[in-house]
Amino acid sequence: MIMSNKKYVIGNWKALPNTPAEAEQILDFLSGHVTGETAASIVVCPPFVYLEDVAKILNTTSLNSFIELGAQDIALSDEPSQTGEVTGEQLARLGVRYVIIGHSDRRWKLAESEEIVNQKLKRALQHELTPIVCIGERVRDDQFEQFLKQQMAGTFAGLSSEELRMCLIAYEPVWAISTTPGARPDSPDETRKALAVLRPLAPESLLLYGGSVNRSNADDFLAIPEISGILVGGASVRKEEFVEIIKQAA
Ligand code: 13P
């Protein structure tokens, strides 16, 4: 983990871009427009198929000094009988340092249970990968605080306080994610209320916000004192916009 007072800007590319050439273009653009001195702590999380290419580009360019590599998921275990999965050992060997755990795409679209999320989290820690753990309610109703507490309890069950401290926790309300129909970003004031629910349950973890972060609102979220960074989806593959967001965090 980058230990600095810089804010994190983490790009979750999800299932984009469609070609390795486009992935390379995003990184080229970053190397031309962002420098180590002005940058936030930047992490990019490409789809598995591009991890090796992105790792090579990072390792052979100046990007290496200020961008780190993340994956979007991890296998439950290191056993070979997991068709379609990628193990923590394989990720670590590629130079991956971070892994997104429990993204709502996986929790809700792929029915990933709390137990599975919890096991993946433990696997990431075992491989010394920094987990970026997504937490967030589907609906902002009068039960949402209770929902967050329960999700936190299940997700982090059995972790020591030292392990919990190693996790980045991304508050990502599902209704705010740009691909959710009718999505709108949370308001910074409401985000602070949600963070106040998470904070006592993870007193030393860094907290991030994610959900429709874009060039127009990134600085509003980055200005929240309790927030150590942002997890950006759609805007992280729009290279000009991603650079603008990074500059707001620098
Ligand atoms: P958007 O920024 O596209 O809303 O995605 C947020 C997200 O899911 C990041 O993990």
Side-chain angles (χ1 to χ4, degrees), residues 10-12 14 100 103-105 134 170 172 176-180 183 210-214 231-236 238:
I10 302 177
N12 174 10
K14 306 188 186 181
I100 297 173
H103 191 277
S104 56
D105 287 344
C134 298
E172 281 213 325
I177 294 177
S178 63
T179 45
T180 304
S212 293
V213 174
N214 57 39
L231 180 55
V232 186
S236 70
R238 298 192 290 270

PDB file of all heavy atoms in Angstrom, residues 10-12 14 100 103-105 134 170 172 176-180 183 210-214 231-236 238, ligand 1:
ATOM      1  N   ILE A  10      -8.754   5.578  -7.587  1.00  0.00           N
ATOM      2  CA  ILE A  10      -8.699   4.189  -8.054  1.00  0.00           C
ATOM      3  C   ILE A  10      -9.667   4.035  -9.216  1.00  0.00           C
ATOM      4  O   ILE A  10     -10.849   4.388  -9.102  1.00  0.00           O
ATOM      5  CB  ILE A  10      -9.055   3.224  -6.906  1.00  0.00           C
ATOM      6  CG1 ILE A  10      -8.085   3.433  -5.737  1.00  0.00           C
ATOM      7  CG2 ILE A  10      -9.022   1.772  -7.402  1.00  0.00           C
ATOM      8  CD1 ILE A  10      -8.382   2.590  -4.516  1.00  0.00           C
ATOM      9  N   GLY A  11      -9.158   3.557 -10.332  1.00  0.00           N
ATOM     10  CA  GLY A  11      -9.989   3.351 -11.518  1.00  0.00           C
ATOM     11  C   GLY A  11     -10.403   1.894 -11.621  1.00  0.00           C
ATOM     12  O   GLY A  11      -9.554   1.015 -11.750  1.00  0.00           O
ATOM     13  N   ASN A  12     -11.709   1.659 -11.535  1.00  0.00           N
ATOM     14  CA  ASN A  12     -12.235   0.317 -11.776  1.00  0.00           C
ATOM     15  C   ASN A  12     -12.762   0.307 -13.206  1.00  0.00           C
ATOM     16  O   ASN A  12     -13.826   0.850 -13.487  1.00  0.00           O
ATOM     17  CB  ASN A  12     -13.361   0.020 -10.770  1.00  0.00           C
ATOM     18  CG  ASN A  12     -14.054  -1.302 -11.071  1.00  0.00           C
ATOM     19  OD1 ASN A  12     -13.595  -2.078 -11.903  1.00  0.00           O
ATOM     20  ND2 ASN A  12     -15.176  -1.545 -10.395  1.00  0.00           N
ATOM     21  N   LYS A  14     -13.896  -2.053 -14.824  1.00  0.00           N
ATOM     22  CA  LYS A  14     -14.978  -3.039 -15.029  1.00  0.00           C
ATOM     23  C   LYS A  14     -14.670  -3.856 -16.294  1.00  0.00           C
ATOM     24  O   LYS A  14     -13.536  -4.283 -16.448  1.00  0.00           O
ATOM     25  CB  LYS A  14     -16.345  -2.347 -15.045  1.00  0.00           C
ATOM     26  CG  LYS A  14     -16.556  -1.492 -13.770  1.00  0.00           C
ATOM     27  CD  LYS A  14     -17.946  -0.933 -13.643  1.00  0.00           C
ATOM     28  CE  LYS A  14     -18.003   0.000 -12.433  1.00  0.00           C
ATOM     29  NZ  LYS A  14     -19.328   0.571 -12.207  1.00  0.00           N
ATOM     30  N   ILE A 100     -10.072  -5.499  -5.780  1.00  0.00           N
ATOM     31  CA  ILE A 100     -11.434  -5.098  -5.402  1.00  0.00           C
ATOM     32  C   ILE A 100     -12.173  -6.340  -4.906  1.00  0.00           C
ATOM     33  O   ILE A 100     -12.145  -7.394  -5.551  1.00  0.00           O
ATOM     34  CB  ILE A 100     -12.183  -4.476  -6.606  1.00  0.00           C
ATOM     35  CG1 ILE A 100     -11.465  -3.191  -7.058  1.00  0.00           C
ATOM     36  CG2 ILE A 100     -13.635  -4.172  -6.241  1.00  0.00           C
ATOM     37  CD1 ILE A 100     -12.031  -2.589  -8.350  1.00  0.00           C
ATOM     38  N   HIS A 103     -17.470  -6.108  -4.933  1.00  0.00           N
ATOM     39  CA  HIS A 103     -18.143  -5.058  -5.720  1.00  0.00           C
ATOM     40  C   HIS A 103     -19.623  -5.435  -5.869  1.00  0.00           C
ATOM     41  O   HIS A 103     -19.965  -6.617  -5.977  1.00  0.00           O
ATOM     42  CB  HIS A 103     -17.483  -4.907  -7.098  1.00  0.00           C
ATOM     43  CG  HIS A 103     -17.965  -3.680  -7.807  1.00  0.00           C
ATOM     44  ND1 HIS A 103     -19.145  -3.661  -8.516  1.00  0.00           N
ATOM     45  CD2 HIS A 103     -17.460  -2.427  -7.874  1.00  0.00           C
ATOM     46  CE1 HIS A 103     -19.336  -2.436  -8.997  1.00  0.00           C
ATOM     47  NE2 HIS A 103     -18.324  -1.673  -8.619  1.00  0.00           N
ATOM     48  N   SER A 104     -20.483  -4.423  -5.944  1.00  0.00           N
ATOM     49  CA  SER A 104     -21.927  -4.717  -6.020  1.00  0.00           C
ATOM     50  C   SER A 104     -22.278  -5.469  -7.302  1.00  0.00           C
ATOM     51  O   SER A 104     -23.253  -6.233  -7.320  1.00  0.00           O
ATOM     52  CB  SER A 104     -22.745  -3.437  -5.909  1.00  0.00           C
ATOM     53  OG  SER A 104     -22.354  -2.529  -6.904  1.00  0.00           O
ATOM     54  N   ASP A 105     -21.496  -5.292  -8.368  1.00  0.00           N
ATOM     55  CA  ASP A 105     -21.744  -6.101  -9.571  1.00  0.00           C
ATOM     56  C   ASP A 105     -21.676  -7.587  -9.225  1.00  0.00           C
ATOM     57  O   ASP A 105     -22.430  -8.406  -9.766  1.00  0.00           O
ATOM     58  CB  ASP A 105     -20.686  -5.818 -10.658  1.00  0.00           C
ATOM     59  CG  ASP A 105     -20.869  -4.473 -11.322  1.00  0.00           C
ATOM     60  OD1 ASP A 105     -21.955  -3.883 -11.188  1.00  0.00           O
ATOM     61  OD2 ASP A 105     -19.902  -4.010 -11.972  1.00  0.00           O
ATOM     62  N   CYS A 134     -15.783  -3.168  -1.154  1.00  0.00           N
ATOM     63  CA  CYS A 134     -16.952  -2.327  -1.463  1.00  0.00           C
ATOM     64  C   CYS A 134     -18.098  -2.646  -0.507  1.00  0.00           C
ATOM     65  O   CYS A 134     -18.453  -3.816  -0.290  1.00  0.00           O
ATOM     66  CB  CYS A 134     -17.418  -2.566  -2.898  1.00  0.00           C
ATOM     67  SG  CYS A 134     -16.163  -2.128  -4.109  1.00  0.00           S
ATOM     68  N   ALA A 170     -14.424   1.026   0.451  1.00  0.00           N
ATOM     69  CA  ALA A 170     -15.074   1.960  -0.481  1.00  0.00           C
ATOM     70  C   ALA A 170     -16.569   1.953  -0.208  1.00  0.00           C
ATOM     71  O   ALA A 170     -17.239   0.933  -0.422  1.00  0.00           O
ATOM     72  CB  ALA A 170     -14.791   1.553  -1.921  1.00  0.00           C
ATOM     73  N   GLU A 172     -19.783   2.511  -1.505  1.00  0.00           N
ATOM     74  CA  GLU A 172     -20.349   2.631  -2.867  1.00  0.00           C
ATOM     75  C   GLU A 172     -21.838   2.306  -2.812  1.00  0.00           C
ATOM     76  O   GLU A 172     -22.213   1.131  -2.991  1.00  0.00           O
ATOM     77  CB  GLU A 172     -19.682   1.619  -3.814  1.00  0.00           C
ATOM     78  CG  GLU A 172     -18.337   2.026  -4.310  1.00  0.00           C
ATOM     79  CD  GLU A 172     -18.085   1.515  -5.721  1.00  0.00           C
ATOM     80  OE1 GLU A 172     -18.545   0.401  -6.071  1.00  0.00           O
ATOM     81  OE2 GLU A 172     -17.445   2.227  -6.484  1.00  0.00           O
ATOM     82  N   ALA A 176     -26.168   4.693  -6.514  1.00  0.00           N
ATOM     83  CA  ALA A 176     -25.401   5.828  -7.055  1.00  0.00           C
ATOM     84  C   ALA A 176     -24.454   5.415  -8.182  1.00  0.00           C
ATOM     85  O   ALA A 176     -23.840   6.279  -8.822  1.00  0.00           O
ATOM     86  CB  ALA A 176     -24.595   6.487  -5.932  1.00  0.00           C
ATOM     87  N   ILE A 177     -24.313   4.126  -8.413  1.00  0.00           N
ATOM     88  CA  ILE A 177     -23.379   3.660  -9.448  1.00  0.00           C
ATOM     89  C   ILE A 177     -23.968   3.948 -10.832  1.00  0.00           C
ATOM     90  O   ILE A 177     -25.152   3.676 -11.074  1.00  0.00           O
ATOM     91  CB  ILE A 177     -23.056   2.166  -9.235  1.00  0.00           C
ATOM     92  CG1 ILE A 177     -22.282   2.019  -7.913  1.00  0.00           C
ATOM     93  CG2 ILE A 177     -22.265   1.598 -10.402  1.00  0.00           C
ATOM     94  CD1 ILE A 177     -21.943   0.606  -7.526  1.00  0.00           C
ATOM     95  N   SER A 178     -23.136   4.497 -11.699  1.00  0.00           N
ATOM     96  CA  SER A 178     -23.661   5.099 -12.932  1.00  0.00           C
ATOM     97  C   SER A 178     -24.453   4.130 -13.800  1.00  0.00           C
ATOM     98  O   SER A 178     -25.313   4.568 -14.567  1.00  0.00           O
ATOM     99  CB  SER A 178     -22.519   5.710 -13.751  1.00  0.00           C
ATOM    100  OG  SER A 178     -21.619   4.712 -14.164  1.00  0.00           O
ATOM    101  N   THR A 179     -24.189   2.844 -13.663  1.00  0.00           N
ATOM    102  CA  THR A 179     -24.907   1.885 -14.503  1.00  0.00           C
ATOM    103  C   THR A 179     -26.250   1.464 -13.899  1.00  0.00           C
ATOM    104  O   THR A 179     -27.021   0.760 -14.547  1.00  0.00           O
ATOM    105  CB  THR A 179     -24.033   0.640 -14.734  1.00  0.00           C
ATOM    106  OG1 THR A 179     -23.465   0.265 -13.483  1.00  0.00           O
ATOM    107  CG2 THR A 179     -22.941   0.895 -15.749  1.00  0.00           C
ATOM    108  N   THR A 180     -26.533   1.881 -12.667  1.00  0.00           N
ATOM    109  CA  THR A 180     -27.836   1.575 -12.071  1.00  0.00           C
ATOM    110  C   THR A 180     -28.868   2.520 -12.689  1.00  0.00           C
ATOM    111  O   THR A 180     -28.638   3.730 -12.744  1.00  0.00           O
ATOM    112  CB  THR A 180     -27.808   1.812 -10.533  1.00  0.00           C
ATOM    113  OG1 THR A 180     -26.756   1.045  -9.970  1.00  0.00           O
ATOM    114  CG2 THR A 180     -29.124   1.423  -9.886  1.00  0.00           C
ATOM    115  N   ALA A 183     -29.468   6.351 -11.708  1.00  0.00           N
ATOM    116  CA  ALA A 183     -28.388   6.662 -10.759  1.00  0.00           C
ATOM    117  C   ALA A 183     -28.136   8.156 -10.648  1.00  0.00           C
ATOM    118  O   ALA A 183     -28.282   8.900 -11.615  1.00  0.00           O
ATOM    119  CB  ALA A 183     -27.101   5.977 -11.219  1.00  0.00           C
ATOM    120  N   GLY A 210     -17.348   5.845  -3.776  1.00  0.00           N
ATOM    121  CA  GLY A 210     -17.528   5.533  -5.196  1.00  0.00           C
ATOM    122  C   GLY A 210     -18.998   5.612  -5.566  1.00  0.00           C
ATOM    123  O   GLY A 210     -19.876   5.315  -4.743  1.00  0.00           O
ATOM    124  N   GLY A 211     -19.263   6.014  -6.811  1.00  0.00           N
ATOM    125  CA  GLY A 211     -20.648   6.094  -7.290  1.00  0.00           C
ATOM    126  C   GLY A 211     -20.857   7.371  -8.076  1.00  0.00           C
ATOM    127  O   GLY A 211     -20.999   8.449  -7.499  1.00  0.00           O
ATOM    128  N   SER A 212     -20.791   7.237  -9.420  1.00  0.00           N
ATOM    129  CA  SER A 212     -20.995   8.388 -10.330  1.00  0.00           C
ATOM    130  C   SER A 212     -20.026   9.529 -10.071  1.00  0.00           C
ATOM    131  O   SER A 212     -20.381  10.706 -10.218  1.00  0.00           O
ATOM    132  CB  SER A 212     -22.443   8.901 -10.259  1.00  0.00           C
ATOM    133  OG  SER A 212     -23.331   7.942 -10.781  1.00  0.00           O
ATOM    134  N   VAL A 213     -18.789   9.201  -9.672  1.00  0.00           N
ATOM    135  CA  VAL A 213     -17.778  10.257  -9.556  1.00  0.00           C
ATOM    136  C   VAL A 213     -17.382  10.668 -10.968  1.00  0.00           C
ATOM    137  O   VAL A 213     -17.130   9.816 -11.835  1.00  0.00           O
ATOM    138  CB  VAL A 213     -16.538   9.772  -8.773  1.00  0.00           C
ATOM    139  CG1 VAL A 213     -15.451  10.840  -8.794  1.00  0.00           C
ATOM    140  CG2 VAL A 213     -16.915   9.428  -7.336  1.00  0.00           C
ATOM    141  N   ASN A 214     -17.331  11.972 -11.187  1.00  0.00           N
ATOM    142  CA  ASN A 214     -16.961  12.466 -12.512  1.00  0.00           C
ATOM    143  C   ASN A 214     -16.171  13.764 -12.366  1.00  0.00           C
ATOM    144  O   ASN A 214     -15.880  14.193 -11.247  1.00  0.00           O
ATOM    145  CB  ASN A 214     -18.206  12.652 -13.393  1.00  0.00           C
ATOM    146  CG  ASN A 214     -19.213  13.580 -12.750  1.00  0.00           C
ATOM    147  OD1 ASN A 214     -18.850  14.580 -12.139  1.00  0.00           O
ATOM    148  ND2 ASN A 214     -20.492  13.251 -12.862  1.00  0.00           N
ATOM    149  N   LEU A 231     -13.245   5.882  -5.694  1.00  0.00           N
ATOM    150  CA  LEU A 231     -13.235   4.711  -6.574  1.00  0.00           C
ATOM    151  C   LEU A 231     -14.097   5.085  -7.782  1.00  0.00           C
ATOM    152  O   LEU A 231     -15.304   5.303  -7.648  1.00  0.00           O
ATOM    153  CB  LEU A 231     -13.791   3.494  -5.828  1.00  0.00           C
ATOM    154  CG  LEU A 231     -13.872   2.167  -6.552  1.00  0.00           C
ATOM    155  CD1 LEU A 231     -12.516   1.732  -7.120  1.00  0.00           C
ATOM    156  CD2 LEU A 231     -14.384   1.070  -5.605  1.00  0.00           C
ATOM    157  N   VAL A 232     -13.446   5.168  -8.922  1.00  0.00           N
ATOM    158  CA  VAL A 232     -14.100   5.726 -10.118  1.00  0.00           C
ATOM    159  C   VAL A 232     -14.336   4.604 -11.125  1.00  0.00           C
ATOM    160  O   VAL A 232     -13.411   3.861 -11.452  1.00  0.00           O
ATOM    161  CB  VAL A 232     -13.188   6.804 -10.762  1.00  0.00           C
ATOM    162  CG1 VAL A 232     -13.917   7.492 -11.915  1.00  0.00           C
ATOM    163  CG2 VAL A 232     -12.726   7.828  -9.732  1.00  0.00           C
ATOM    164  N   GLY A 233     -15.566   4.494 -11.614  1.00  0.00           N
ATOM    165  CA  GLY A 233     -15.884   3.473 -12.611  1.00  0.00           C
ATOM    166  C   GLY A 233     -15.831   4.049 -14.010  1.00  0.00           C
ATOM    167  O   GLY A 233     -14.756   4.244 -14.590  1.00  0.00           O
ATOM    168  N   GLY A 234     -17.002   4.363 -14.556  1.00  0.00           N
ATOM    169  CA  GLY A 234     -17.109   4.798 -15.953  1.00  0.00           C
ATOM    170  C   GLY A 234     -16.111   5.879 -16.353  1.00  0.00           C
ATOM    171  O   GLY A 234     -15.493   5.802 -17.425  1.00  0.00           O
ATOM    172  N   ALA A 235     -15.923   6.871 -15.496  1.00  0.00           N
ATOM    173  CA  ALA A 235     -15.039   7.990 -15.860  1.00  0.00           C
ATOM    174  C   ALA A 235     -13.568   7.576 -15.899  1.00  0.00           C
ATOM    175  O   ALA A 235     -12.751   8.316 -16.459  1.00  0.00           O
ATOM    176  CB  ALA A 235     -15.234   9.155 -14.888  1.00  0.00           C
ATOM    177  N   SER A 236     -13.226   6.410 -15.360  1.00  0.00           N
ATOM    178  CA  SER A 236     -11.809   6.019 -15.349  1.00  0.00           C
ATOM    179  C   SER A 236     -11.345   5.464 -16.695  1.00  0.00           C
ATOM    180  O   SER A 236     -10.148   5.308 -16.925  1.00  0.00           O
ATOM    181  CB  SER A 236     -11.530   5.010 -14.228  1.00  0.00           C
ATOM    182  OG  SER A 236     -12.109   3.749 -14.501  1.00  0.00           O
ATOM    183  N   ARG A 238     -12.600   6.957 -19.473  1.00  0.00           N
ATOM    184  CA  ARG A 238     -12.633   8.152 -20.349  1.00  0.00           C
ATOM    185  C   ARG A 238     -11.378   8.946 -19.990  1.00  0.00           C
ATOM    186  O   ARG A 238     -11.352   9.684 -18.992  1.00  0.00           O
ATOM    187  CB  ARG A 238     -13.921   8.961 -20.095  1.00  0.00           C
ATOM    188  CG  ARG A 238     -15.176   8.151 -20.426  1.00  0.00           C
ATOM    189  CD  ARG A 238     -16.421   9.020 -20.472  1.00  0.00           C
ATOM    190  NE  ARG A 238     -16.845   9.513 -19.187  1.00  0.00           N
ATOM    191  CZ  ARG A 238     -17.700   8.887 -18.363  1.00  0.00           C
ATOM    192  NH1 ARG A 238     -18.221   7.714 -18.701  1.00  0.00           N
ATOM    193  NH2 ARG A 238     -18.038   9.429 -17.210  1.00  0.00           N
TER     194      ARG A 238
HETATM  195  P1  13P B   1     -19.309   4.638 -11.649  1.00  0.00           P
HETATM  196  O1  13P B   1     -18.217   5.621 -11.303  1.00  0.00           O
HETATM  197  O2  13P B   1     -19.397   4.356 -13.106  1.00  0.00           O
HETATM  198  O3  13P B   1     -20.590   5.023 -10.994  1.00  0.00           O
HETATM  199  O4  13P B   1     -18.871   3.249 -10.978  1.00  0.00           O
HETATM  200  C1  13P B   1     -18.568   3.217  -9.646  1.00  0.00           C
HETATM  201  C2  13P B   1     -18.043   1.863  -9.357  1.00  0.00           C
HETATM  202  O5  13P B   1     -18.784   0.907  -9.391  1.00  0.00           O
HETATM  203  C3  13P B   1     -16.610   1.749  -9.067  1.00  0.00           C
HETATM  204  O6  13P B   1     -16.301   0.512  -8.518  1.00  0.00           O
END
